[in-house]
Amino acid sequence: MKKTLLLSLMLLAAPALAAAPFTPEQEARIKQLIRETLVQNPAILAEAADAFDKEAARQQQNVVAQMVEKNRAALFNDAGSPRIGAKKPALTLVYFTDYNCVFCKKFEADIEKLLQNYPQVAVVLKPLPYRAESSLSSARLALTVWEQQPNNFLKLHERLMAKKGNHDEASIAAALDKSGISLSAPSTASLDTINLNLTLAQQLGVQGTPATLVGNQLISGAVPYAQLEAAVKGALQAQP
């Protein structure tokens, strides 16, 4: 039935390609017939919308794949970006996050669960200062700790993520203190890393945090763990 209706619509429009322009009366009648068909068969619109969404997703994935290939070194091998998980990974994820993002803080548990369940996976952390001024200051301090005291990074990262709500100077200082870290100021290199992260996020089409790059698939938001795991399984299976 749907194919017949779609074919009818195509036949109605086809003369415009080969014949002279329609008269105003003909155009009005064609529009009326199309409207009546769509009103009586709304599933056609849903089918068209679904096809549009799938094509848009396919095009986005192609763009992401191109950007990943172009920026592979900066995404996966940047010395200034913290790395957790497997030392010699079969798959490396890139995780854009923000220490003030409530959704990131919830999603953090799924990232930890994923690394426990898949010891062959690593995650590169890319802090993005999207939420507030303290997003930038906390990210720079975390990146400086990674640069200067890498063994202490994970302790600080977990404490920064554990706080409910936005950070301020006092909460950041408390996280450093409770992690046993002495740090006077963020490094210059930490700002360079932040700027690189912002550039990468823009090129990949990251609209907010969290955002996770799994293979050539960019997952936006704090998706359910099952969706994250399915993407990881697919990427692992696609490995040569």
Side-chain angles (χ1 to χ4, degrees):
M1 179 65 177
K2 290 180 181 178
K3 290 183 178 179
T4 302
L5 290 170
L6 289 173
L7 181 59
S8 299
L9 293 175
M10 292 172 64
L11 290 173
L12 285 169
L17 299 176
F22 292 116
T23 65
E25 292 78 11
Q26 289 174 323
E27 289 185 357
R29 180 54 180 158
I30 289 172
K31 291 179 181 178
Q32 181 183 0
L33 288 172
I34 292 175
R35 183 179 183 280
E36 289 175 357
T37 300
L38 294 177
V39 168
Q40 294 171 11
N41 301 273
I44 294 177
L45 292 174
E47 187 176 318
D50 182 60
F52 177 83
D53 290 342
K54 288 180 179 178
E55 176 59 20
R58 187 189 66 80
Q59 291 182 6
Q60 182 191 29
Q61 187 166 345
N62 288 340
V63 171
V64 170
Q66 293 173 11
M67 290 300 101
V68 169
E69 189 60 33
K70 179 181 177 181
N71 299 288
R72 185 166 294 278
L75 284 166
F76 300 103
N77 301 317
D78 175 46
S81 296
R83 177 184 294 265
I84 57 177
K87 301 299 181 183
K88 296 181 179 180
L91 175 68
T92 300
L93 279 55
V94 178
Y95 177 45
F96 294 93
T97 187
D98 185 329
Y99 289 116
N100 281 332
C101 170
V102 62
F103 303 106
C104 299
K105 294 177 181 184
K106 293 179 180 178
F107 197 53
E108 190 74 14
D110 287 337
I111 293 293
E112 294 175 4
K113 180 179 178 180
L114 182 76
L115 291 177
Q116 291 174 357
N117 293 339
Y118 295 86
Q120 72 274 45
V121 172
V123 175
V124 174
L125 300 172
K126 300 284 189 182
L128 293 177
Y130 276 1
R131 301 282 171 166
E133 184 177 347
S134 58
S135 293
L136 176 60
S137 55
S138 58
R140 289 193 64 185
L141 285 173
L143 291 171
T144 302
V145 169
W146 172 256
E147 175 191 347
Q148 299 176 2
Q149 308 173 40
N151 292 336
N152 288 328
F153 168 78
L154 193 54
K155 290 188 294 183
L156 177 61
H157 173 77
E158 290 173 347
R159 287 197 176 277
L160 289 172
M161 277 295 178
K163 184 185 183 303
K164 296 180 179 179
N166 283 7
H167 279 284
D168 53 26
E169 290 184 7
S171 66
I172 295 172
L176 286 169
D177 182 62
K178 291 179 181 178
S179 301
I181 298 171
S182 177
L183 193 67
S184 57
S187 67
T188 301
S190 67
L191 185 57
D192 294 336
T193 301
I194 291 291
N195 288 331
L196 175 62
N197 293 349
L198 290 168
T199 299
L200 291 171
Q202 182 181 28
Q203 292 185 0
L204 287 170
V206 173
Q207 300 295 319
T209 55
T212 313
L213 183 64
V214 183
N216 289 331
Q217 179 183 359
L218 182 66
I219 300 175
S220 300
V223 299
Y225 178 78
Q227 182 177 340
L228 175 64
E229 183 179 41
V232 168
K233 284 183 176 179
L236 284 170
Q237 292 172 357
Q239 293 294 320

